[in-house]
């Protein structure tokens, strides 16, 4: 069910995770702007969305009647200022590079409305590293999706010490409203929960192979 507090959502990054996040919100009735720096990247992102919707329909996860309305709710933009001009929440999903992400958050802080929540899909960097580049650290939060985001219900919500409780609750309620099962970490820990568990399993697997 669409959460009334969020009328406009923007996803920055049209790659593996970004297109999936945009797709899920569009299926749930939200207007979504998908942003990337190049038209080619946006074309690839839209093609991925169309292919995924076709697969979901074939697997009877959605009906044919849901496909066109979902696609109609997705707007593409290569101009960041236009993509975030009236946004309620932004989900950043660009390369796992701290310099790039910090630059994106600086730009988002400049061009988003003052009320906008700035969320990152990072699995590597803690939110304070991104909040430090903005003038709204109370509205910066991590929402770490698990791939593929439209199938896996888990989302790790990671606030910094600066993130307001209002931002935490609003983000949690939004994700819950589309069927996600968010968990809220009580403090910043690099790697969060899912990635640390994956790393532990990988270490054990490598030990078994070696021995």
């Amino acid at each position: 069910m669409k959460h009334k507090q969020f009328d406009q959502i923007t996803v920055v990054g049209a790659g593996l995770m970004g297109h999936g996040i945009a797709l899920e919100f569009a299926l749930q009735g939200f207007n979504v702007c998908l942003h990337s720096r190049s038209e080619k990247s946006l074309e690839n992102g839209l093609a991925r969305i169309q292919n995924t919707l076709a697969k979901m329909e074939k697997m009877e996860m959605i009906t044919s009647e849901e496909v066109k309305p979902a696609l109609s709710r997705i707007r593409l933009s290569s101009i960041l200022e236009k993509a975030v001009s009236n946004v309620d929440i932004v989900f950043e999903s660009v390369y796992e590079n701290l310099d790039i992400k910090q630059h994106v958050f600086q730009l988002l802080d400049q061009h988003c409305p003052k009320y906008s929540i700035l969320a990152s899909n990072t699995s590597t960097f803690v939110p304070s590293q991104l909040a430090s580049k903005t003038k709204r650290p109370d509205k910066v939060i991590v929402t770490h999706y698990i791939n593929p985001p439209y199938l896996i219900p888990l989302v790790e919500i990671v606030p910094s010490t600066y993130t307001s409780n209002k931002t935490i609750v609003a983000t949690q309620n939004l994700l819950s409203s589309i069927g996600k099962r968010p968990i809220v970490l009580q403090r910043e820990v690099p790697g969060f929960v899912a990635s640390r568990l994956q790393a532990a399993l990988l270490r054990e697997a490598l030990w078994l192979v070696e021995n």
Side-chain angles (χ1 to χ4, degrees):
M1 181 181 294
K2 184 175 178 180
H3 197 284
K4 62 182 180 180
Q5 183 177 343
F6 297 93
D7 291 322
Q8 181 62 50
I9 292 172
T10 293
V11 178
V12 176
L16 179 66
M17 299 299 290
H19 89 278
I21 295 171
L23 179 155
E24 182 171 43
F25 276 108
L27 275 173
Q28 294 295 327
F30 289 86
N31 295 314
V32 184
C33 180
L34 183 61
H35 167 76
S36 187
R37 292 177 299 173
S38 72
E39 294 294 337
K40 182 63 176 177
S41 177
L42 288 172
E43 291 174 7
N44 291 339
L46 181 59
R48 280 180 162 181
I49 289 172
Q50 292 170 329
N51 290 337
T52 300
L53 286 170
K55 290 177 182 177
M56 294 175 74
E57 181 184 352
K58 186 176 182 179
M59 296 170 65
E60 299 184 348
M61 297 175 62
I62 59 174
T63 65
S64 58
E65 289 76 17
E66 294 177 272
V67 175
K68 285 187 177 180
L71 287 171
S72 71
R73 298 185 191 106
I74 298 174
R75 177 170 62 93
L76 306 180
S77 176
S78 60
I79 303 173
L80 185 65
E81 294 90 331
K82 292 183 178 180
V84 301
S85 62
N86 64 338
V87 71
D88 296 302
I89 186 169
V90 177
F91 292 93
E92 168 273 315
S93 187
V94 301
Y95 296 115
E96 285 293 294
N97 177 289
L98 183 58
D99 290 338
I100 293 175
K101 287 182 180 289
Q102 288 181 329
H103 180 62
V104 168
F105 268 74
Q106 284 180 315
L107 293 176
L108 292 175
D109 190 46
Q110 292 172 20
H111 298 298
C112 289
K114 298 299 183 184
Y115 56 80
S116 304
I117 294 174
L118 310 182
S120 175
N121 182 51
T122 183
S123 62
T124 308
F125 308 112
V126 293
S128 60
Q129 292 175 292
L130 306 174
S132 65
K133 300 300 181 180
T134 76
K135 296 179 181 178
R136 62 178 89 190
D138 60 310
K139 293 182 174 65
V140 175
I141 198 165
V142 162
T143 50
H144 175 219
Y145 284 77
I146 311 300
N147 188 43
Y150 46 85
L151 293 181
I152 307 299
L154 173 66
V155 180
E156 297 179 295
I157 295 178
V158 189
S160 75
T161 55
Y162 309 107
T163 308
S164 69
N165 188 63
K166 182 179 179 180
T167 297
I168 298 170
V169 172
T171 304
Q172 187 174 14
N173 288 343
L174 170 64
L175 293 172
S176 296
S177 75
I178 64 169
K180 311 307 285 188
R181 294 183 182 177
I183 62 169
V184 180
L185 275 65
Q186 299 304 307
R187 60 189 180 94
E188 294 183 319
V189 180
F192 316 141
V193 175
S195 295
R196 291 173 73 92
L197 290 172
Q198 288 174 338
L201 181 59
L202 177 59
R203 286 195 300 270
E204 184 67 14
L206 292 173
W207 184 92
L208 289 170
V209 171
E210 183 179 359
N211 290 275

